[in-house]
Each structure stands twice: as structure tokens, then as C-alpha cells.
């Protein structure tokens, strides 16, 4: 991720280190979104699979088969595609985004208030939203999967989105 490209190759631990640095530098509190916050933001006020509707992401996102110049090759520059109704770009596709929560198979027993579901000893965290190197099916608001939070470096399709507490 350089220039107008999203940050990539960042593991969960490295994202946390960056957030601590940014918070210290600015005096504001920065963090990863919770799973609930991320999905709310990704849906952009809709109840459909994607903020543009239920149809696949052709020309609306970057994925392996989305019909654009970056298909299966690389990330697209941030903001290439139309934002959702909240003005957020690239919530679906481009890069998988780390969230704060530990991975659980389902939401049963999780917090009902939108807070992060975490516990000590959590070894897998959640990535959301699909990326440039997976199919359209993964570029949807409900898409999530577990990934190890142990290393500093993620894959070339792993990134994160910064939230600031107000």
C-alpha cells in the first residue's frame, strides 16, 4: 500500500501497534472497528448483501472477478468506486479489514450493544469484507473469517480501517 493504495501486509498485532502510536501522537483515541460497527458501516443503511444491492460487484468493487483493471492483480486506488450512502469507500473488496473482535463461529452469546467480543487468550481475530484476490461472493457485508492475530505481518490482501472515538 503506497500512494493512493490501501495499507496491506499488516497483521492484527501490527495494526494495534499503529493505533497506539497514532493515539499517542494525536492525543485522540484510535482503534479498530468492532464487527458490529464494521458491518453497519459496510451496509451503508441497507439490508442487502452489498450497499449497492444484492447483485454481484461488477464495476463496484475490486475482487478477482469484478470486471475491472485490478481483477485478481492488485488493490485499486482508494476511492476508485462509488461510496456507500455513508460516504465510505472500499468497504467491500480491495482489502480484507481487521476488526477488534475475537473470532466466534456465530454471534450467539455475543454482545448486544455493538461492542467488541474479546476475551483473553484469543488467537484468532476477524477479517471482514473480501479483497482484490477473492471472488465477488466474498465482497459482501456479511462476509467474515478467522485469521491468526499472532504475527506482525498479514497477507498482501490484509489491511485495516481506523476508527476514532468522539
Amino acid at each position: 500500500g503506497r500512494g493512493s493504495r490501501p495499507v496491506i501486509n499488516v497483521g492484527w498485532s501490527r495494526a494495534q501497534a499503529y493505533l497506539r502510536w497514532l493515539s499517542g501522537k494525536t492525543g485522540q483515541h484510535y482503534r479498530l472497528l468492532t464487527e458490529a460497527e464494521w458491518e453497519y458501516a459496510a451496509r451503508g443503511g441497507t439490508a442487502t448483501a452489498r450497499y449497492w444491492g444484492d447483485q454481484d460487484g461488477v464495476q463496484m468493487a475490486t475482487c478477482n472477478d469484478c470486471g475491472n483493471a485490478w481483477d485478481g492483480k492488485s488493490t485499486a486506488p482508494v476511492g476508485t468506486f462509488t461510496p456507500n450512502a455513508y460516504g465510505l469507500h472500499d468497504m467491500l473488496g480491495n482489502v480484507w479489514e481487521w476488526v477488534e473482535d475475537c473470532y466466534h463461529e456465530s454471534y450467539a452469546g455475543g454482545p448486544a450493544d455493538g461492542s467488541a467480543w474479546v476475551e483473553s487468550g484469543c488467537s484468532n481475530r476477524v477479517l471482514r469484507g473480501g479483497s482484490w484476490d477473492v471472488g465477488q461472493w466474498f465482497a459482501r457485508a456479511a462476509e467474515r473469517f478467522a485469521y491468526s492475530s499472532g504475527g506482525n505481518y498479514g497477507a498482501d490482501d490484509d489491511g485495516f480501517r481506523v476508527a476514532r472515538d468522539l
Side-chain angles (χ1 to χ4, degrees):
R2 297 208 187 312
S4 63
R5 301 297 175 122
V7 170
I8 57 172
N9 296 317
V10 177
W12 189 87
S13 299
R14 183 66 51 97
Q16 292 295 328
Y18 174 78
L19 294 166
R20 284 189 300 277
W21 172 85
L22 183 61
S23 295
K25 188 83 168 158
T26 64
Q28 304 290 322
H29 182 247
Y30 290 90
R31 60 181 176 79
L32 295 176
L33 281 74
T34 69
E35 261 203 277
E37 291 169 330
W38 189 95
E39 189 162 331
Y40 179 83
R43 289 189 182 282
T46 70
T48 55
R50 299 160 183 91
Y51 68 87
W52 58 82
D54 286 322
Q55 68 274 22
D56 289 337
V58 175
Q59 295 300 325
M60 293 298 289
T62 300
C63 63
N64 194 30
D65 54 357
C66 283
N68 60 60
W70 303 279
D71 274 11
K73 298 175 192 161
S74 70
T75 60
V78 172
T80 296
F81 302 100
T82 305
N84 69 19
Y86 298 153
L88 300 172
H89 288 271
D90 306 315
M91 291 296 297
L92 304 176
N94 224 13
V95 297
W96 289 102
E97 296 183 11
W98 289 107
V99 295
E100 188 66 30
D101 301 64
C102 294
Y103 181 80
H104 298 87
E105 287 292 325
S106 77
Y107 298 123
D113 63 358
S115 61
W117 191 2
V118 296
E119 64 265 336
S120 64
C122 174
S123 61
N124 288 317
R125 298 289 175 155
V126 179
L127 285 162
R128 299 293 303 252
S131 75
W132 62 269
D133 67 345
V134 296
Q136 295 175 36
W137 169 254
F138 298 101
R140 59 191 186 96
E143 189 60 38
R144 60 193 292 272
F145 80 95
Y147 201 76
S148 173
S149 58
N152 283 327
Y153 297 98
D156 61 357
D157 62 349
D158 296 346
F160 63 101
R161 187 171 296 261
V162 174
R164 182 173 61 105
D165 288 338
L166 300 176

